[in-house]
Amino acid sequence: MARVAIRAFERGDLDGAAELVAEAHRRDRERHAVLAEALTDAGEARSLLAKRLEAERTDSAVAVDGDALAGFAIGERASGAPPDSYMGQLSTPRSVSIGSRGHGVAEGYDANAVCRLLYRELAAGWAAAGYFHHSVSVIAGDERLQEAWFNLGFGRHVSVAVREGTGPVAGADAAGLDIRACGGEDAGVLLELARTLGFHHLDSPMFMYWPVLPEHDAMARGFFSALLEEEGNPHFVAYREGEPVGLTSFLKQGFTPPHMNLEGNIYLFMGIVDPEAQDGGVGRALLDHGMAWARGEGYERCTLHVLSANYSGEPFWFANGFQPVEYSLERQLDERVAWARGG
């Protein structure tokens, strides 16, 4: 590989970076048809990158080989969640994220070397400013870029997975269960099942923070009460002998990445089965009930996020039709570097 130089991303680099994004998107769509067609067009990709560059908390760099663009990376800083935001509590404070369409390396260049140089440039500033949690997303199957970030100490943390089709779930049996849609009066039930999901994520080996403390109750109740008032966001609870034992909830907007085809897509927001009721078919029955609702509403696919370390969740979702389309890779820096270097 020719020696490349690293410098700040300039507006004159947009066309070259957009071509890299569009080319990668066309290649990735051969594996994942759910990716939106729009970004196969370099003009659309340019508009996306231009918006990211204009964002207030964005840092970016390019790798150049003479007049040729060898690669680029754009990261966005997040200081922390508002204290009254339930979903915001799930975000890691003082973190930086690079989206799957916010980085790329041109063919013919060593992706390991180019990503290393780009990350070295950007991470120095992030660490100096106290941003120690870094994430980068890659499309599943892009082994070249995934290996480059693995080589920099990143590990797979979250999968964005898609179930193509909303057909019945194999082996689902709702015998002995009463599955009902939640109404406004069920906010307390929804809150308790969400708390169960939170404690699950706090457990080993996930160790993911979740707002489950009593001081979060009012915030959580307000969040779930608002969800129950919105049309098109059903929350299904499974009862056994009158006791709630599981939950599956959906959001019509949700957190599906914007570079995926949102038409005909429903987002599965929460899925949890009480630990004492697991391995009894409750999860499959709830998912089957939810897919029946989705079919009736005209949805064609379902998307969710699942932690790679989720010892029960990931195997369940992948065994019931969900397939990974995108991975979030993460790295946590040792914060002692801030004072050890005199920062």
Side-chain angles (χ1 to χ4, degrees), residues 1 15 51 102 106 141 152 155 161 164 201 218 258 264 269 275 277 318 332:
M1 183 187 78
D15 287 342
K51 289 180 182 178
L152 287 165
E164 284 290 353
H201 281 86
F269 177 45
F318 287 3
Q332 178 69 40

Side-chain angles (χ1 to χ4, degrees), residues 289-312:
H289 191 91
M291 291 297 96
W293 168 84
R295 286 196 303 278
E297 294 294 314
Y299 289 108
E300 301 171 357
R301 73 186 67 83
C302 183
T303 303
L304 55 75
H305 286 75
V306 60
L307 292 179
S308 301
N310 190 334
Y311 60 90
S312 58

Side-chain angles (χ1 to χ4, degrees), residues 304-341:
L304 55 75
H305 286 75
V306 60
L307 292 179
S308 301
N310 190 334
Y311 60 90
S312 58
E314 188 187 73
F316 173 81
W317 299 121
F318 287 3
N320 286 285
F322 288 86
Q323 296 297 319
V325 173
E326 180 175 291
Y327 299 121
S328 173
L329 316 180
E330 302 200 2
R331 182 186 185 194
Q332 178 69 40
L333 305 189
D334 187 333
E335 297 183 14
R336 292 176 296 179
V337 300
W339 57 260
R341 298 177 60 205

Side-chain angles (χ1 to χ4, degrees), residues 7-296:
R7 60 167 172 78
F9 197 128
E10 301 170 353
R11 292 197 66 83
D13 300 314
L14 277 171
D15 287 342
E19 288 291 346
L20 289 185
V21 168
E23 180 182 349
H25 203 71
R26 287 191 291 269
R27 186 169 57 245
D28 292 334
R29 284 192 84 240
E30 294 178 2
R31 297 189 305 276
H32 306 292
V34 69
L35 294 175
E37 184 178 3
L39 284 182
T40 61
D41 177 73
E44 291 288 339
R46 191 184 193 282
S47 296
L48 172 72
L49 295 176
K51 289 180 182 178
R52 291 186 177 176
L53 285 178
E54 292 167 0
E56 182 180 354
R57 306 184 68 83
T58 289
D59 302 292
S60 56
V62 294
V64 293
D65 176 12
D67 293 331
L69 184 72
F72 76 97
I74 304 173
E76 185 173 1
R77 288 168 277 120
S79 293
D84 59 348
S85 169
Y86 180 82
M87 288 304 300
Q89 301 301 313
L90 304 181
S91 302
T92 304
R94 301 198 69 77
S95 60
V96 181
S97 60
I98 301 173
S100 61
R101 292 305 174 229
H103 62 110
V105 177
E107 292 295 327
Y109 290 90
D110 182 344
N112 283 4
V114 172
C115 287
R116 183 188 298 121
L117 291 171
L118 287 167
Y119 182 61
R120 180 188 183 217
E121 177 72 15
L122 294 171
W126 295 333
Y131 291 85
F132 297 109
H133 184 266
H134 304 164
S135 69
V136 58
S137 295
V138 297
I139 301 299
D142 190 338
E143 302 298 333
R144 179 170 172 254
L145 280 181
Q146 183 171 247
E147 176 60 27
W149 291 103
F150 281 168
N151 192 52
L152 287 165
F154 286 75
R156 189 179 296 169
H157 183 60
V158 176
S159 296
V160 179
V162 175
R163 188 180 196 264
E164 284 290 353
T166 52
V169 176
D173 181 4
L177 294 173
D178 178 18
I179 300 178
R180 310 175 216 158
C182 288
E185 69 280 4
D186 299 311
V189 173
L190 191 58
L191 181 61
E192 284 306 310
L193 288 168
R195 191 194 306 274
T196 299
L197 181 63
F199 278 112
H200 171 72
H201 281 86
L202 286 165
D203 199 7
S204 179
M206 290 87 73
F207 299 117
M208 177 183 174
Y209 179 76
W210 205 280
V212 297
L213 298 176
E215 64 196 62
H216 299 130
D217 283 354
M219 174 178 60
R221 184 173 292 276
F223 174 77
F224 287 112
S225 295
L227 281 185
L228 289 171
E229 293 176 1
E230 297 178 8
E231 294 185 5
N233 296 334
H235 310 275
F236 300 109
V237 174
Y239 293 84
R240 177 172 284 160
E241 298 180 354
E243 293 297 320
V245 293
L247 164 74
T248 299
S249 67
F250 298 88
L251 300 180
K252 56 187 174 183
Q253 299 298 328
F255 303 97
T256 302
H259 50 270
M260 294 172 61
N261 186 3
L262 303 182
E263 185 177 354
N265 181 79
I266 186 70
Y267 184 79
L268 199 157
F269 177 45
M270 293 189 298
I272 184 66
V273 174
D274 186 275
E276 295 185 3
Q278 289 180 3
D279 300 321
V282 177
R284 286 192 300 276
L286 276 166
L287 180 59
D288 186 62
H289 191 91
M291 291 297 96
W293 168 84
R295 286 196 303 278

